[in-house]
């Protein structure tokens, strides 16, 4: 109605000229929100062909008041729409930061580098010996009541008696009450050995839970729940500098050798990586350790600039070495 009451608008619609075109084009450019109402009024005028609606100054003033009243609201809404996503993002960030701080406020991480072994005392009095290249995580503030930790690598545990003690790895979970045991979890291979007490082992890819007693060990090398036997009192392990293997892929043995002697890298023919190795090496002399691994397999190992090279040895050369 306000548009219809405006004489300049009626003249522009019914008898346009360059001056009116420039004026109303400028109005639309400055206030695009009035386009819909303007088109409705224009169509109405063209249909009825109004000649004289006797508009007055009051009607024109009402039109301008309406346009001006809409401008702040439009600008305010527009500004709100622009800043609202930033406000929401900031609020979400604050919540996530708070949750993260609460979640991680008392987590402890213990790590070892190559050629390093670390002894860790847990809040409940349990002792852990962490092998080279390993990581242990636990929440110190809650550990006495909730004895759960995560392991990447290898560790020997001597657990104080108490509530359930849980070791989680990427490959499975170990539960005990009070006992000593060893957990190895690297790559896709996990093995648990029980030295005292009882140990419950459950691998991720198996629904079977196996109970180990002293002198038993189990690995995820096969889908069965069969265990192997060993004599705890006579079996020297990595905590004493001995690394024993029974039908282990050569690549796993070489990787352990690298961790124990801080070898920068190694090179081994791909066809030898899964070659079965049965034997041991000790952590006291690198050259002897290399020979302990290579000689039974008719291989030769050589260190050049801290890099280990493994290669096949011709039979006649191997015989002369023996």
């Amino acid at each position: 109605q306000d548009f219809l009451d405006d004489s300049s608008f009626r003249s522009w619609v019914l008898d346009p000229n360059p001056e009116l075109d420039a004026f109303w084009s400028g109005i639309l450019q400055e206030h695009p929100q009035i386009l819909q109402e303007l088109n409705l009024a224009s169509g109405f005028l063209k249909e009825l062909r109004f000649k004289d609606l006797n508009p007055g100054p009051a009607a024109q003033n009402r039109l301008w008041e309406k346009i001006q009243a809409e401008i702040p609201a439009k600008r305010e809404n527009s500004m709100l729409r622009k800043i609202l996503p930033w406000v929401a993002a900031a609020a979400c960030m604050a919540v996530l930061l708070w949750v993260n701080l609460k979640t991680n406020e008392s987590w402890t991480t213990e790590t070892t580098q190559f050629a390093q072994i670390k002894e860790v005392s847990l809040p409940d009095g349990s002792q852990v010996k962490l092998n080279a290249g390993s990581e242990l995580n636990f929440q110190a503030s809650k550990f006495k009541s909730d004895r759960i930790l995560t392991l990447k690598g290898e560790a020997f545990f001597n657990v104080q008696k108490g509530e359930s003690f849980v070791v989680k790895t990427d490959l499975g979970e170990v539960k005990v009450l009070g006992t000593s045991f060893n957990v190895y979890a690297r790559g896709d291979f996990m093995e648990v050995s029980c030295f005292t007490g009882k140990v419950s082992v459950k691998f991720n890819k198996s629904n079977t839970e196996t109970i180990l007693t002293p002198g038993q060990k189990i690995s995820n090398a096969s889908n069965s729940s069969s265990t192997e036997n060993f004599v705890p009192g006579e079996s020297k392990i990595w905590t004493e500098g001995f690394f024993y293997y029974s039908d282990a892929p050569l690549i796993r043995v070489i990787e352990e050798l690298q961790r124990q002697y801080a070898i920068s890298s190694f090179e081994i023919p791909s066809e030898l990586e899964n070659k079965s190795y049965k034997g041991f090496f000790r952590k006291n002399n690198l050259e002897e350790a290399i020979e302990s691994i290579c000689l039974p397999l008719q291989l030769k190992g050589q260190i050049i600039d801290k890099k280990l090279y493994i290669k096949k040895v011709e039979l006649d050369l191997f015989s002369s070495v023996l």
Side-chain angles (χ1 to χ4, degrees):
Q1 184 61 49
D2 291 330
F3 281 119
L4 296 177
D5 289 344
D6 190 292
S7 60
S8 65
F9 176 76
R10 294 199 313 276
S11 297
W12 176 53
V13 173
L14 300 175
D15 189 18
N17 59 58
E19 185 179 350
L20 289 173
D21 284 341
F23 174 78
W24 283 99
S25 294
I27 293 292
L28 280 174
Q29 220 171 20
E30 194 172 346
H31 309 290
Q33 70 273 11
I34 67 173
L35 178 61
Q36 186 175 2
E37 292 183 2
L38 185 144
N39 286 336
L40 287 173
S42 174
F44 190 66
L45 273 177
K46 289 177 180 178
E47 185 176 347
L48 297 180
R49 299 291 177 180
F50 281 111
K51 292 184 179 180
D52 186 13
L53 293 177
N54 297 318
Q60 191 170 4
N61 289 337
R62 286 198 306 273
L63 173 63
W64 282 109
E65 287 174 3
K66 181 177 180 180
I67 293 174
Q68 294 299 324
E70 288 183 357
I71 293 173
K74 295 287 185 179
R75 287 179 178 171
E76 185 176 334
N77 292 337
S78 177
M79 182 62 69
L80 183 60
R81 284 195 298 270
K82 289 180 180 179
I83 68 171
L84 189 57
W86 294 98
V87 173
C92 290
M93 186 66 70
V95 171
L96 289 174
L97 180 61
W98 181 83
V99 171
N100 186 61
L101 289 174
K102 293 298 288 183
T103 303
N104 297 287
E105 59 184 355
S106 58
W107 278 88
T108 299
T109 299
E110 300 285 353
T111 60
T112 51
Q113 305 302 317
F114 281 4
Q116 179 190 14
I117 293 176
K118 180 188 290 188
E119 293 188 2
V120 180
S121 295
L122 299 176
D124 68 334
S126 298
Q127 300 294 318
V128 182
K129 186 169 284 189
L130 200 60
N131 201 356
S134 301
E135 179 180 303
L136 192 72
N137 292 280
F138 57 92
Q139 197 166 12
S141 63
K142 298 180 180 180
F143 192 79
K144 288 184 179 180
S145 59
D146 190 8
R147 301 197 299 175
I148 299 176
L149 47 78
T150 61
L151 171 68
K152 292 183 178 180
E154 185 173 19
F156 186 89
F157 296 85
N158 198 331
V159 178
Q160 289 288 332
K161 290 184 178 180
E163 297 298 324
S164 179
F165 186 102
V166 180
V167 180
K168 294 185 176 182
T169 77
D170 291 338
L171 301 170
E173 185 176 280
V174 183
K175 293 181 181 179
V176 300
L177 293 177
T179 183
S180 59
F181 59 99
N182 190 79
V183 179
Y184 178 102
R186 300 186 190 276
D188 59 358
F189 180 76
M190 179 176 175
E191 183 178 74
V192 181
S193 304
C194 178
F195 286 77
T196 62
K198 289 184 179 181
V199 177
S200 168
V201 181
K202 185 176 181 180
F203 299 117
N204 290 345
K205 294 184 178 181
S206 172
N207 294 322
T208 304
E209 184 176 4
T210 303
I211 303 297
L212 300 181
T213 56
Q216 290 185 319
K217 62 181 179 179
I218 189 172
S219 75
N220 66 345
S222 64
N223 294 325
S224 67
S225 57
S226 59
T227 62
E228 296 182 39
N229 296 322
F230 68 98
V231 182
E234 299 178 4
S235 300
K236 293 184 177 181
I237 62 172
W238 64 269
T239 57
E240 300 172 78
F242 288 81
F243 298 82
Y244 283 87
Y245 298 91
S246 176
D247 297 324
L250 180 61
I251 185 69
R252 189 192 306 158
V253 181
I254 298 299
E255 287 173 345
E256 191 63 55
L257 183 75
Q258 179 188 25
R259 279 189 289 270
Q260 298 304 321
Y261 286 95
I263 298 170
S264 62
S265 60
F266 60 83
E267 187 176 297
I268 179 173
S270 58
E271 66 271 17
L272 296 178
E273 290 185 356
N274 292 314
K275 191 175 182 65
S276 179
Y277 174 77
K278 184 176 183 179
F280 75 97
F281 71 85
R282 293 192 298 173
K283 187 180 179 180
N284 62 350
N285 185 297
L286 178 55
E287 290 185 5
E288 288 183 3
I290 293 175
E291 288 184 359
S292 297
I293 297 170
C294 293
L295 286 179
L297 300 177
Q298 299 183 13
L299 302 175
K300 182 179 181 180
Q302 186 177 14
I303 294 286
I304 301 177
D305 294 330
K306 294 186 177 182
K307 181 175 181 178
L308 173 62
Y309 295 86
I310 302 291
K311 61 181 180 180
K312 294 180 180 179
V313 177
E314 298 298 332
L315 187 58
D316 57 344
L317 176 60
F318 181 72
S319 300
S320 65
V321 171
L322 291 178

